Amino acid sequence: MTTTWQQPLFEQSVTDNVRQALTEDIGSGDITASLIPADRTGEARVLTREATVICGRPWVDEVFRQIDQNVQVEWHVEEGAMVEADTILFTLKGPARSLLTGERAALNFLQMLSGTATLCHNYATKVESTSVKLLDTRKTIPGLRQAQKYAVRTGGCHNHRIGLYDAFLIKENHIAACGGIKEAVVAAREIAPGKPVEVEVESLSELEIALECGADTIMIDNFSLDNMSQAVAMNKGRAKLEASGGITDQTLLPIAQTGVDFISIGVLTKDCKAIDLSMRITKM
């Protein structure tokens, strides 16, 4: 199951993310930057110390827009580009105080989102010989879901539902509380007729029930490779099949080769490593 990206919601989230980041960092004022004369201008450059997929330009631009619109940001790489270590990513020109005040917030967004995009790129490359789509999950940093899901897309993977509001994902506890798979699916269709309905199953017998109920997507959770292949054969294209649970980089390709439509992987957003970036003043 994939969801439709909502651009207005994304744009608002960038503004809100940056406002919160600057509030927690600057607080009552950048006292160290105040050591520099207010009228002094400067130039700086930001480079990466390791190979990466670049992601996060909207946040960097917004940081300096909110701090000081006199700061000029000039990018030397495109969003989503794979770059080598020591590549200059962007240069800055403007009031020296503002360059230094915005440095950490801007680099925090860029290093984290580039790390997410790079990890997704690496996973997507492993299954590029298949038709499977790799999906993220809701295992994201609180307050940064839109940002991380944007990075997932930038890295070549795809978004599952954005939140609890845009699609049904009926799992074991929902099924138990509703009285069964059929009851849960029927209720979902009545509550929100236009929303996608996905059901998690843990056996081939539950899969058959979910298929009979007309679920749009069925998550086959922690199935063996043999059972995944059987599930694909049973499905015959009636629903989309999503493999989930215990996915590793070693099992990823064999799972994709069973013929499932999607593989959801929590690690895409919850275990990302930030990229090592550096900013240096080049002129003052």
Side-chain angles (χ1 to χ4, degrees):
M1 174 175 63
T2 59
T3 56
T4 302
W5 190 254
Q6 301 177 38
Q7 190 65 23
L9 180 61
F10 165 70
E11 292 173 355
Q12 184 61 50
S13 75
V14 174
T15 301
D16 293 343
N17 290 161
V18 169
R19 182 178 296 115
Q20 182 177 7
L22 294 179
T23 296
E24 69 181 5
D25 200 28
I26 298 172
S28 60
D30 182 351
I31 59 175
T32 311
S34 67
L35 299 173
I36 303 168
D39 60 352
R40 182 163 296 173
T41 59
E43 298 179 12
R45 66 182 183 183
V46 172
L47 56 84
T48 176
R49 298 195 181 280
E50 55 188 304
T52 184
V53 173
I54 294 302
C55 181
R57 282 181 49 163
W59 287 265
V60 171
D61 292 342
E62 182 65 13
V63 164
F64 290 105
R65 188 194 71 80
Q66 289 191 25
I67 287 178
D68 188 342
Q69 295 190 28
N70 291 314
V71 173
Q72 301 173 37
V73 184
E74 182 180 359
W75 285 92
H76 303 290
V77 298
E78 295 297 323
E79 188 84 328
M82 171 62 81
V83 301
E84 298 301 319
D86 300 321
T87 298
I88 296 174
L89 307 179
F90 64 94
T91 51
L92 298 166
K93 182 184 297 185
R97 287 185 177 184
S98 299
L99 301 187
L100 295 171
T101 297
E103 173 187 359
R104 179 41 51 202
L107 267 59
N108 279 351
F109 283 116
L110 191 63
Q111 69 189 25
M112 187 269 290
L113 296 178
S114 293
T116 300
T118 302
L119 180 63
C120 289
H121 170 79
N122 293 341
Y123 269 81
T125 299
K126 294 178 186 296
V127 295
E128 61 186 1
S129 62
T130 74
S131 60
V132 76
K133 290 184 177 181
L134 303 185
L135 305 179
D136 55 22
T137 69
R138 288 167 42 244
K139 296 175 182 178
T140 53
I141 298 171
L144 292 174
R145 179 166 298 168
Q146 289 279 339
Q148 284 195 282
K149 283 183 173 282
Y150 168 87
V152 166
R153 291 162 56 90
T154 301
C157 294
H158 301 266
N159 297 145
H160 205 277
R161 59 181 181 160
I162 302 299
L164 296 172
Y165 56 88
D166 56 339
F168 290 96
L169 178 47
I170 302 169
K171 307 188 80 172
E172 180 183 8
N173 289 333
H174 302 101
I175 292 169
C178 291
I181 292 174
K182 180 178 180 181
E183 290 80 1
V185 172
V186 169
R189 298 296 190 197
E190 291 176 350
I191 291 169
K195 297 289 187 181
V197 176
E198 179 170 359
V199 178
E200 179 187 65
V201 301
E202 297 179 342
S203 66
L204 292 172
S205 59
E206 288 186 351
L207 171 64
E208 186 56 49
I209 296 171
L211 287 170
E212 291 173 355
C213 294
D216 300 307
T217 303
I218 300 174
M219 179 186 290
I220 49 178
D221 186 46
N222 285 302
F223 274 38
S224 67
L225 287 175
D226 286 343
N227 280 350
M228 283 187 196
S229 297
Q230 289 185 56
V232 171
M234 287 173 59
N235 182 43
K236 298 178 181 178
R238 287 182 284 175
K240 297 293 185 180
L241 294 183
E242 175 185 331
S244 181
I247 311 296
T248 68
D249 54 359
Q250 287 80 31
T251 62
L252 185 62
L253 182 57
I255 290 173
Q257 291 171 334
T258 64
V260 296
D261 301 285
F262 307 121
I263 301 175
S264 54
I265 312 173
V267 72
L268 296 182
T269 51
K270 75 182 184 70
D271 290 350
C272 65
K273 172 184 173 294
I275 300 300
D276 187 10
L277 306 177
S278 176
M279 185 178 108
R280 289 289 180 267
I281 296 292
T282 57
K283 184 177 180 180
M284 188 71 71

